[in-house]
Amino acid sequence: MVDSDGIGRLQREEIQGAPPATSRAELRERRLTESVQLNRYLYLQCQQFEHMLLDSQDLTSLLEILIFNLPRHFSYRVAELWLLDQDGELGELIGGGERFGHYLQVHNDAFVLQELYELEPDIELIDATDSRMFEVLKSEHGIDYALMLPLMESGRLVGSLHLGIQEEGLSFGDAEEDLIAHLAAIVSRSYLAAVQRQQIDNLVRLDPLTRVANKTGFEQDLAREISRARRNNQPITILLMEVDEYAELHDHYGEERSQFVLKRVAQRVASDLRLTDLMARLEQSRLAVLLTGCGETLGQDIAERMREDIEDFAIDDGRGAVLQVTLSIGLVSWEPQHYPAVDMQQLARQIESVADKALEASRAKGGNATTISRLTTLIV
């Protein structure tokens, strides 16, 4: 038997190496401290992300931030964005939107977005048991939860941002919900402002005849793609092309028919481009094509294919006449690893100058030719 003194000794005995017991008051204080630290961390993350949105240069860069940067910034697995485009304008506003793949979906039916939410759209956290998980982020594996943020304009749903979350990274209390609601409002405002800016910008940077970029737009595209190529260490190729004997065509057939021919040529060239390539009209009959992720050899193949296609292209002017023209093409490529550059503006000017010399060489040959010119000096 154990006497009462022995029982007392057992009750007072402590396990060697065990931490001291924590009182309920201490436990509440610790949890409060951890919650405050977490909320402060999320607040700072949201604040930093707001600055990223404000610094975005255009609609495309804003979408890159939402789709690619946001998941990394908040340690989510993936982001997916659905946008409403009832008027069919977004496709023209989003340059090279295909680069976002299935992470960007543009819908012309508002019902597709509305059925993701209740009558009054609000932030929702859904799990694998929710049927909506078969619609959002359905191409992703290992996603336990989807955080859905409605993008609103005057009470109207214009988009839906979906964030994929793994269970071990889940933390979603009242304070976090308030921060996320604030973030959703900022994203909505930033998106709508970017669309408005892009609409105004397109009036300035689009050629009204061909509906491709004008010279201003091309220079902006070139600057952006040079920076992207440098960041990703990938080549780019620029093709300058001129419709041969366009002045004679204009004098013989008049302005209306010559412009019709130019428009059809631009459409034909554009049809040969990849989804990530860019095109512009620089002058009366001069076009430019920017081939992303493309080196000299592939660029030459593409240029020759375009030249041969236009040579065989019969243009029906709608009045019983069939017109045919040819192209002179100048080509220059830039590979960041071979020609490192610091001054991006100087690099853009040099690329345009070298391409122009190549084009003039093709015209000097009598037209209907492709000439390659190279950057022969190290750019600093």
Side-chain angles (χ1 to χ4, degrees), residues 8 59 67 76 113 145 165 197 199 218 281 294-295 311 371:
L59 180 58
I67 294 174
Y76 294 138
L113 276 73
Y145 294 88
I165 308 174
R197 288 197 305 270
Q199 290 171 333
F218 175 73
R281 180 189 179 196
C294 177
E311 184 180 17
T371 302

Side-chain angles (χ1 to χ4, degrees), residues 107-118:
H107 299 275
N108 56 20
D109 187 355
F111 180 74
V112 176
L113 276 73
Q114 188 64 54
E115 67 179 355
L116 295 176
Y117 296 94
E118 301 294 338

Side-chain angles (χ1 to χ4, degrees), residues 51-64:
H51 288 301
M52 294 171 62
L53 294 175
L54 293 172
D55 290 340
S56 60
Q57 299 297 315
D58 51 31
L59 180 58
T60 300
S61 61
L62 179 78
L63 296 179
E64 289 179 348

Side-chain angles (χ1 to χ4, degrees), residues 339-351:
Y339 299 95
V342 175
D343 189 338
M344 298 295 104
Q345 292 182 344
Q346 176 61 30
L347 172 60
R349 288 192 293 268
Q350 187 166 354
I351 288 175

Side-chain angles (χ1 to χ4, degrees), residues 38-53 65-66 68-79 147 149 161 163-166 169-171 176 179-180 182-184 187:
L38 175 61
N39 291 342
R40 176 168 176 76
Y41 169 76
L42 289 176
Y43 172 78
L44 292 175
Q45 290 293 94
C46 287
Q47 192 176 52
Q48 292 172 4
F49 191 72
E50 286 183 33
H51 288 301
M52 294 171 62
L53 294 175
I65 292 171
L66 293 178
F68 300 131
N69 294 19
L70 188 152
R72 293 193 297 265
H73 189 75
F74 289 99
S75 299
Y76 294 138
R77 274 286 304 276
V78 67
L147 179 60
L149 284 65
L161 180 62
L163 306 175
I165 308 174
Q166 287 182 306
L170 181 64
S171 179
E176 290 81 11
L179 285 172
I180 293 171
H182 172 74
L183 180 63
V187 170

Side-chain angles (χ1 to χ4, degrees), residues 15 17 28 105 116 144 159 182 207 256 287 297 313 338 359:
I15 300 174
R28 284 197 300 270
Q105 298 184 31
L116 295 176
D144 299 308
H182 172 74
D207 174 57
E256 181 179 351
L287 305 172
T297 301
F313 183 39
H338 294 157
L359 174 60

Side-chain angles (χ1 to χ4, degrees), residues 14 29 33 60 110 124 144 161-162 171 187 192 201 213 258 264 279 289 332 346 353 367:
E14 294 183 357
E29 182 66 25
T33 301
T60 300
E124 291 196 50
D144 299 308
L161 180 62
H162 312 139
S171 179
V187 170
L192 295 171
D201 188 52
S258 60
R264 295 290 289 123
M279 185 175 174
V289 170
V332 61
Q346 176 61 30
S353 175

